[in-house]
Amino acid sequence: MPMSHVCAWPLSVTHPLVGQRFAGAQAGRALAWFNLLLFAGVFFWQWGFGLVIAWLQPVLGVADAYRLAMLMLALLSALGYLVFMSRSGPGSRSQPRRPSAFSIF
């Protein structure tokens, strides 16, 4: 299996999972909110990434600013993964709850 398929797999299963968590009448609304939050999150993430590069560029130069920004991105991603794995293991106490129609946020 190509690496692009492996990396895209978590993204391809999120929409069906969100849709299945809600009743039929609310699944469309949940997916619309999910898409809106996904695109807004990506926008702000990329905007912040550009701000970091613009802030570092005068000090480090273009190439090194991108390298440091990418390193920061990798470290934040690894940290997020570690937090996720520490909270979702077999010993975690948090039980998943079924959302109601008014708990979209």
Side-chain angles (χ1 to χ4, degrees), residues 7-104:
C7 293
W9 176 79
L11 297 174
S12 65
V13 298
T14 53
H15 276 81
L17 290 175
V18 168
Q20 291 172 1
R21 295 279 298 178
F22 292 90
Q26 291 137 358
R29 289 185 203 152
L31 287 170
W33 275 106
F34 180 74
N35 282 331
L36 176 69
L37 294 175
L38 182 74
F39 280 104
V42 168
F43 167 77
F44 284 113
W45 185 259
Q46 289 179 349
W47 178 62
F49 194 75
L51 286 177
V52 168
I53 292 171
W55 181 66
L56 292 173
Q57 186 176 350
V59 178
L60 300 175
V62 175
D64 286 337
Y66 273 92
R67 281 189 194 103
L68 185 57
M70 291 298 284
L71 177 65
M72 291 168 55
L73 174 64
L75 291 174
L76 284 173
S77 296
L79 178 66
Y81 180 72
L82 289 173
V83 169
F84 172 74
M85 291 305 291
S86 69
R87 294 185 179 188
S88 63
S92 81
R93 295 182 197 164
S94 61
Q95 297 295 323
R97 64 179 181 86
R98 188 151 185 97
S100 69
F102 301 105
S103 67
I104 299 229

